[in-house]
């Protein structure tokens, strides 16, 4: 059952900005990549995915998670775990890895905050959309090589770094507290 | 203990319970069952008894026969195949008459709602003698492809592998088509036609039988460990079932331990509460506060800290829970709170302590009766062996001493009901009815303790006195159940 190797090859892939590579010489561990869709906070970012194919594939869904850190309501900012129906009960055997990657791209374009994986991100998405978009763009820039910088946020991050905090930890704390330096510092000190 | 076996005999032409009696290693039990027609302690028979319930204890084969009969009725009335009839019944909680009515009126609507056929059939473009199976992407000839009513075609090997994986994962009646967004279910006969492994066929039939029983409102598996018995009753009521095989005593509606007079939802809430140590924390962190005067639960709405209890009209401050009169005109800020931000927490803590005290009051009694019940189990054993001794020494016959055993059984039953009155009382709102309940509960408790005292000293207690006490305790129990058990 190696039907997926037919699927994700050639020019089609280039057009959709998705691709799949093998990790070893087996088909059970794969690395996927999707490009963030234009006109979103993820625009131009390259997001790497870890894909594990179960023995029972395609009768059970592949196990997929983000390797590249990402700020998104349906993806854990800590583990990269994804909350997406087709990776769970809505999976159908006739689906392919291509379907999965395209669905993930669609998820980046349209989050579903009412079925969140990351509660902190989902809350920000619902209550403070502007900050959410800036944060997501900043993460895309830093972790996924996205082209858009968020100078305002970088300045605040610089301040936290100057206080001696680790850059990534400071970014997480700031992102989780709507870039309020005082609150972020407090959570960094108490954790 | 198992008088229902006799009543079972009459309605179900079963011979299994007799052999069960023989296997029973409790001697007294066999004696008790066969020779005491007049004593009926565990299964109420009269229909004015609040615990009376009409049910049958069936074996798997009996239930298979029963389900097949239901299927047969639908098949012959609507001229459909058993495989389809089963799907339709399962999809509609086995409401046979309803399914028949819907099927006669508008069969295609029923079939779509039951996920037997799709809203729109998929037209597979067929070009040439072979096609590509969308799952394995192999080129296969037309006759190797199979589809459900939806028209999504896949090769036989993929269907086989798919069904195998599903059955191995415990899915049987919920297997749907392999196409994306297609909800059409795989019927039993289709599954059997594609499945290659005979052992999985057996597994499928076992699992699906289990699913059918679980979905049928008139059936319930006995919850006893590894017990094969299935209970059948006409109505899904919260009534007492006593299994003749494993002796479990459970509620027909929810399947957990019998819990009258408490109802199914309340007992679940109570058991969860008892298991959940974090309960105290919940009180403190809750978004609501209790009125400091009448303890009714109040939710804050709006920014004003001046609260008025909707029930007792007490005016108080949200921040410190103190009397509002002491606050003057400072509507948006509480000076008592400013001085000591902990003040509200302190009183919230105090409330939590109150709530905890109330809970512990009921919990301790609940626990205490549970423990006594275990001790009474031992008393029962002791009495049994002592009666055996007496009979061996020719100090009277079993019939002479039977009343001791009856007393011990009755005590257990009364104590059991008493135990389950505590969750009921805990969740009851303060009112006249609660007063009546707690009065009757106290009466029952007193008589249960009297009975317990006399049973422990049964051999030196006068028989008449003991039987009189049994009568009083059981009357108290029945009065309480009659007044408070919903039926
Ligand atoms: Zn195939
Ligand atoms: Zn289909
Ligand atoms: Zn049983
Ligand atoms: Zn119940
Ligand atoms: Zn009040």
């Amino acid at each position: 059952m190696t039907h997926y190797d037919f699927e994700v090859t050639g020019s089609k892939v280039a057009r959709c900005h998705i691709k799949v590579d093998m990790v070893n010489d087996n088909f059970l561990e794969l690395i996927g990549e999707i490009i963030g869709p234009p006109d979103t906070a993820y625009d131009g970012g390259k997001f790497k995915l870890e894909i594990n194919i179960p023995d029972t594939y395609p009768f059970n869904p592949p196990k997929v998670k983000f390797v590249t850190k990402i700020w998104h309501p349906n993806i854990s900012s800590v583990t990269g775990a994804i909350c997406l129906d087709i990776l769970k009960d809505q999976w159908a055997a006739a689906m392919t890895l291509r379907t999965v990657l395209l669905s993930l791209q669609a998820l980046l374009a349209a989050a579903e905050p009412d079925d969140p994986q990351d509660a902190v991100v989902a809350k920000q998405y619902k209550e403070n959309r502007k900050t959410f978009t800036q944060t997501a763009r900043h993460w895309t820039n830093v972790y996924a090589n996205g082209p858009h910088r968020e100078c305002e946020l970088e300045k605040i991050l610089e301040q936290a770094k100057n206080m001696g905090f680790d850059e990534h930890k400071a970014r997480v704390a700031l992102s989780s507290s709507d870039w309020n330096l005082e609150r972020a510092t407090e959570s960094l000190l108490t954790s | 203990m198992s008088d229902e076996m006799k009543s079972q005999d009459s309605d179900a032409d079963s011979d299994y319970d007799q052999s069960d009696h023989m296997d029973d290693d409790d001697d007294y039990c066999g004696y008790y069952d066969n020779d005491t027609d007049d004593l009926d302690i565990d299964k109420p028979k009269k229909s004015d008894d609040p615990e009376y319930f009409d049910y049958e204890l069936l074996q798997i084969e009996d239930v298979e026969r029963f389900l097949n009969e239901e299927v047969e009725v639908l098949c012959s009335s609507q001229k459909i195949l058993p495989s389809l009839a089963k799907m339709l019944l399962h999809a509609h909680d086995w409401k046979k008459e309803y399914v028949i009515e819907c099927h006669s009126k508008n069969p295609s609507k029923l079939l779509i709602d039951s996920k037997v056929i799709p809203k729109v059939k998929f037209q597979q473009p067929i070009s040439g003698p072979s096609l590509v199976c969308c799952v394995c992407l192999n080129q296969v000839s037309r006759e190797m492809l199979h589809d459900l009513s939806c028209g999504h075609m896949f090769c036989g090997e993929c269907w086989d592998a798919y069904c195998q994986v599903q059955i191995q994962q415990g899915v049987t009646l919920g297997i749907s088509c392999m196409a994306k967004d297609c909800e059409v279910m795989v019927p039993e006969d289709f599954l059997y036609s594609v499945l290659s492994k005979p052992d999985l066929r057996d597994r499928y039939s076992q699992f699906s039988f289990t699913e059918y029983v679980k979905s049928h409102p008139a059936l319930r598996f006995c919850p006893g460990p590894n017990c094969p018995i299935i209970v059948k009753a006409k109505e899904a009521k919260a009534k007492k079932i006593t299994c003749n095989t494993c002796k479990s005593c459970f509620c027909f509606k929810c399947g957990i331990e019998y819990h009258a007079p408490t109802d199914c939802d309340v007992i679940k809430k109570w058991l969860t509460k008892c298991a959940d140590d974090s309960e105290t924390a919940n009180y403190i962190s809750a978004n609501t506060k209790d009125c400091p005067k009448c303890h009714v639960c109040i939710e804050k709405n709006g920014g004003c800290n001046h609260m008025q209890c909707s029930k007792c009209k007490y005016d108080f401050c949200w921040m410190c829970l103190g009397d509002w009169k002491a606050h003057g005109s400072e509507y948006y800020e509480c000076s008592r709170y400013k001085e000591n931000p902990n003040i509200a927490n302190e009183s919230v803590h105090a409330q939590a302590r109150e709530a905890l005290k109330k809970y512990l009051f009921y919990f301790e009694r609940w626990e205490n009766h549970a423990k006594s019940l275990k001790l009474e189990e031992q008393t029962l054993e002791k009495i049994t062996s002592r009666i055996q001794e007496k009979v061996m020494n020719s100090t009277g016959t079993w019939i002479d001493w039977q009343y001791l055993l009856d007393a011990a059984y009755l005590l257990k039953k009364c104590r059991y009901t008493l135990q389950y009155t505590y969750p009921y009382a805990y969740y009851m709102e303060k009112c006249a009815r609660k007063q009546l309940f707690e009065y009757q509960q106290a009466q029952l408790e007193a008589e249960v303790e009297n009975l317990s005292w006399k049973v422990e000293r049964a051999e030196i207690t006068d028989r008449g006195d003991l039987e009189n006490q049994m009568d009083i305790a059981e009357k108290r129990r029945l009065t309480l159940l009659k007044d408070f058990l919903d039926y």
Side-chain angles (χ1 to χ4, degrees):
Chain A
M1 276 171 241
T2 56
H3 80 309
Y4 40 86
D5 47 338
F6 292 87
E7 280 297 314
V8 202
T9 49
S11 59
K12 244 185 185 175
V13 174
R15 248 196 303 127
C16 301
H17 306 291
I18 57 174
K19 82 177 190 207
V20 172
D21 289 320
M22 280 187 278
V23 174
N24 304 316
D25 269 348
N26 67 40
F27 285 101
L28 301 180
E29 286 168 54
L30 305 166
I31 286 286
E33 190 180 283
I34 54 177
I35 306 291
D39 303 321
T40 69
Y42 310 99
D43 177 26
K46 284 197 185 80
F47 297 92
K48 282 212 178 330
L49 301 156
E50 184 186 294
I51 305 171
N52 281 295
I53 306 294
D55 307 341
T56 51
Y57 186 84
F59 306 114
N60 283 129
K63 293 187 174 63
V64 186
K65 68 176 202 174
F66 275 80
V67 180
T68 307
K69 294 203 179 305
I70 183 166
W71 192 253
H72 186 285
N74 305 102
I75 302 157
S76 164
S77 59
V78 183
T79 63
I82 304 163
C83 181
L84 181 64
D85 56 358
I86 63 151
L87 292 176
K88 295 172 199 159
D89 54 329
Q90 292 301 307
W91 172 256
M95 288 185 186
T96 60
L97 285 184
R98 203 179 118 79
T99 334
V100 172
L101 297 195
L102 290 176
S103 303
L104 285 173
Q105 245 180 356
L107 186 67
L108 295 191
E112 286 174 35
D114 291 324
D115 187 17
Q117 173 74 39
D118 196 309
V120 177
V121 185
K123 190 165 181 283
Q124 190 180 66
Y125 181 92
K126 283 168 107 171
E127 293 171 4
N128 202 341
R129 184 67 66 88
K130 183 167 172 276
T131 307
F132 163 80
T133 309
Q134 285 180 310
T135 310
R137 199 177 289 134
H138 173 68
W139 280 53
T140 304
N141 172 241
V142 177
Y143 297 115
N145 258 320
H148 312 290
R149 290 181 60 176
E150 281 291 334
C151 302
E152 200 187 319
L153 304 188
E154 283 176 23
K155 266 185 224 140
I156 304 173
L157 180 67
E158 203 55 37
Q159 289 176 37
K161 271 167 69 186
N162 290 340
M163 292 162 82
F165 294 116
D166 166 79
E167 179 176 328
H168 177 67
K169 279 187 186 152
R171 181 174 293 114
V172 171
L174 283 164
S175 302
S176 308
S177 49
D178 296 343
W179 297 84
N180 178 319
L181 186 59
E182 208 175 304
R183 263 167 51 214
T185 320
E186 203 174 298
S187 82
L188 282 165
L189 289 172
T190 50
S191 65
Chain B
M1 197 64 188
S2 36
D3 296 66
E4 70 272 14
M5 291 173 183
K6 281 191 277 0
S7 58
Q8 295 324 307
D9 276 349
S10 47
D11 4 291
D13 52 333
S14 44
D15 47 7
Y16 57 86
D17 38 12
Q18 283 310 324
S19 54
D20 262 23
H21 282 256
M22 298 312 174
D23 296 342
D24 214 318
D25 44 6
D26 303 325
D27 285 347
Y28 67 85
C29 217
Y31 179 85
Y32 186 78
D33 290 337
N34 296 326
D35 292 38
T36 50
D37 288 313
D38 51 338
L39 276 154
D40 187 13
I41 289 197
D42 267 53
K43 183 166 180 189
K45 283 217 178 72
K46 285 169 267 131
S47 44
D48 64 335
D49 183 313
E51 288 183 301
Y52 175 80
F53 192 47
D54 194 12
Y55 64 87
E56 292 172 69
L57 298 170
L58 303 178
Q59 300 281 359
I60 291 170
E61 306 81 73
D62 304 321
V63 176
E64 280 171 344
R65 206 179 313 125
F66 164 68
L67 290 177
N68 284 337
E69 280 161 17
E70 302 250 280
V71 169
E72 187 46 46
V73 171
L74 183 58
C75 289
S76 56
S77 124
Q78 301 299 307
K79 308 278 172 287
I80 57 175
L81 290 171
S83 175
L84 173 60
K86 274 188 200 172
M87 282 173 94
L88 295 177
L89 286 169
H90 179 67
H92 296 93
D93 299 327
W94 293 81
K95 285 183 222 134
K96 195 166 64 221
E97 290 75 19
Y98 174 79
V99 172
I100 290 176
E101 194 193 317
C102 292
H103 194 267
S104 343
K105 270 194 206 146
N106 188 349
S108 56
K109 183 181 183 305
L110 178 73
L111 295 181
I112 291 170
D113 289 349
S114 315
K115 298 178 181 174
V116 176
I117 59 170
K119 285 198 187 80
V120 188
K121 192 176 159 102
F122 176 73
Q123 294 295 337
Q124 185 111 13
I126 297 176
S127 52
S130 69
L131 278 171
V132 172
C133 165
C134 293
V135 170
C136 61
L137 301 179
N138 289 329
Q139 283 268 327
V140 275
S141 59
R142 174 64 189 85
E143 60 271 21
M144 301 295 282
L145 292 161
H146 308 280
D147 59 350
L148 304 177
S149 61
C150 54
H152 295 114
M153 287 198 240
F154 303 99
C155 76
E157 273 178 47
C158 284
W159 276 116
D160 182 19
Y162 174 61
C163 291
Q164 286 187 31
V165 168
Q166 296 291 311
I167 296 167
Q168 267 151 357
Q169 288 168 355
V171 184
T172 48
L173 301 179
I175 305 178
S176 59
C177 171
M178 292 194 281
K180 188 171 185 253
D181 299 325
C182 180
E183 289 189 314
V184 171
M185 294 290 171
V186 174
E188 189 184 83
D189 51 0
F190 180 89
L191 180 124
Y192 284 145
S193 75
V194 296
L195 199 61
S196 61
K197 295 202 171 142
D199 57 321
L200 284 181
R201 283 171 171 245
D202 294 345
R203 237 201 290 162
Y204 177 85
S205 86
Q206 269 172 32
F207 286 165
S208 53
F209 175 74
T210 306
E211 293 293 306
Y212 289 139
V213 171
K214 281 186 181 161
S215 71
H216 202 301
L219 300 173
R220 170 168 297 286
F221 279 108
C222 168
N226 299 320
C227 183
I229 295 297
I230 297 162
V231 193
K232 182 175 158 231
K234 284 198 187 71
E235 298 160 294
K237 283 188 171 175
K239 294 285 183 173
K240 181 180 183 175
I241 308 291
T242 310
C243 175
N244 56 3
T245 303
C246 72
K247 312 289 178 223
S248 294
C249 167
F250 56 95
C251 165
F252 182 71
K253 196 167 162 194
C254 70
I256 61 174
E257 279 193 12
Y258 181 61
H259 48 70
T262 307
D263 68 35
C264 302
D265 294 340
V266 172
I267 195 66
K268 240 170 263 161
K269 223 162 58 174
W270 172 257
L271 293 174
T272 320
K273 189 182 176 67
C274 293
D276 183 9
D277 289 331
S278 63
E279 180 69 27
T280 21
N282 293 342
Y283 275 95
I284 301 163
S285 62
N287 240 339
T288 54
K289 292 184 186 178
D290 290 355
C291 165
K293 216 171 187 178
C294 72
H295 304 290
V296 111
C297 202
I298 297 172
E299 232 184 298
K300 186 169 163 40
N301 48 358
C304 180
N305 285 320
H306 177 182
M307 303 297 293
Q308 191 188 47
C309 170
S310 52
K311 207 172 160 208
C312 72
K313 308 293 173 208
Y314 176 64
D315 290 288
F316 67 97
C317 166
W318 178 260
M319 301 299 280
C320 71
L321 294 172
D323 192 334
W324 186 256
K325 282 187 213 113
H327 283 75
S329 57
E330 22 160 17
Y331 269 67
Y332 283 95
E333 230 179 345
C334 166
S335 53
R336 287 180 67 205
Y337 182 78
K338 246 192 336 203
E339 278 159 32
N340 176 12
N342 235 351
I343 192 163
N345 277 344
E346 275 164 19
S347 56
V348 172
H349 274 291
Q351 288 170 31
R353 266 200 302 278
E354 272 310 301
L356 187 63
K357 239 167 67 190
K358 176 188 164 191
Y359 166 65
L360 286 177
F361 175 88
Y362 290 95
F363 181 74
E364 272 166 21
R365 278 150 188 81
W366 156 269
E367 270 280 285
N368 195 22
H369 287 302
K371 277 185 200 137
S372 301
L373 208 52
K374 282 217 184 79
L375 293 177
E376 250 114 55
E377 204 84 51
Q378 293 170 11
T379 310
L380 192 65
E381 278 167 34
K382 253 188 279 167
I383 289 178
T384 312
S385 66
R386 252 174 309 149
I387 295 179
Q388 263 167 350
E389 240 171 70
K390 283 177 204 283
V391 174
M392 298 276 271
N393 299 336
S394 310
T395 330
T397 64
W398 266 100
I399 295 173
D400 297 332
W401 297 109
Q402 180 68 48
Y403 77 98
L404 290 180
L405 214 49
D406 295 344
Y409 271 117
L410 187 86
L411 172 60
K412 247 180 73 178
K413 193 163 80 163
C414 289
R415 172 110 42 213
Y416 190 91
T417 302
L418 182 59
Q419 186 193 346
Y420 281 86
T421 59
Y422 283 97
Y424 188 100
Y426 176 79
Y427 288 106
M428 232 176 160
E429 272 198 48
K430 266 194 187 138
C431 59
R433 200 166 148 75
K434 180 165 185 173
Q435 272 181 0
L436 176 66
F437 184 81
E438 294 198 317
Y439 170 76
Q440 292 198 9
Q441 184 186 43
Q443 297 269 299
L444 175 62
E445 184 152 39
E447 298 309 340
V448 166
E449 296 311 337
N450 281 341
L451 183 60
S452 177
W453 170 270
K454 285 174 184 167
V455 166
E456 265 171 50
R457 292 157 188 78
E459 284 150 282
I460 51 167
T461 306
D462 171 61
R463 174 168 177 175
D465 189 20
L466 183 64
E467 283 176 344
N468 191 29
Q469 186 62 49
M470 285 167 69
D471 199 42
I472 296 172
E474 177 63 356
K475 276 208 180 99
R476 293 269 186 250
R477 193 183 78 89
L478 288 177
T479 309
L480 187 140
L481 288 180
K482 260 183 202 153
D483 289 351
F484 293 94
L485 184 59
D486 302 317
Y487 64 106

